[in-house]
Amino acid sequence: MGRRNILNVIEDILRALKKKDEMSVKSISEEVKSQWETTIKALEFMKRVNLVKEREGKKTHKTEGPFSLK
């Protein structure tokens, strides 16, 4: 599979989050068939523009909290 446009990844993430209340980064990346790093970048952007919110998860150095639509 070739490279995907980040906008397409964001659209796929929004569709996946509309189906379920909360999803982890791992489950989102598996659902949209995107690499974990790309999913993190897209979610961080979506969080900055107030499209998604992140609930506090485990306290580690990486983003792990479940994400949901605002």
Side-chain angles (χ1 to χ4, degrees), residues 17-69:
L17 287 173
K18 283 181 184 177
K19 290 183 207 173
K20 298 182 182 174
D21 288 338
E22 284 187 342
M23 296 178 76
S24 67
V25 175
K26 183 177 188 296
S27 62
I28 292 171
S29 64
E30 289 172 353
E31 176 83 19
V32 300
K33 295 178 179 72
S34 176
Q35 290 185 358
W36 188 82
E37 295 87 1
T38 305
T39 304
I40 289 287
K41 288 177 186 176
L43 287 167
E44 290 297 326
F45 170 76
M46 292 165 65
K47 198 163 65 168
R48 271 188 269 143
V49 295
N50 291 324
L51 286 175
V52 297
K53 61 184 175 182
E54 178 183 13
R55 185 169 53 86
E56 285 296 318
K58 297 178 183 175
K59 300 287 184 190
T60 62
H61 65 281
K62 51 187 175 179
T63 306
E64 293 183 12
F67 284 86
S68 61
L69 292 176

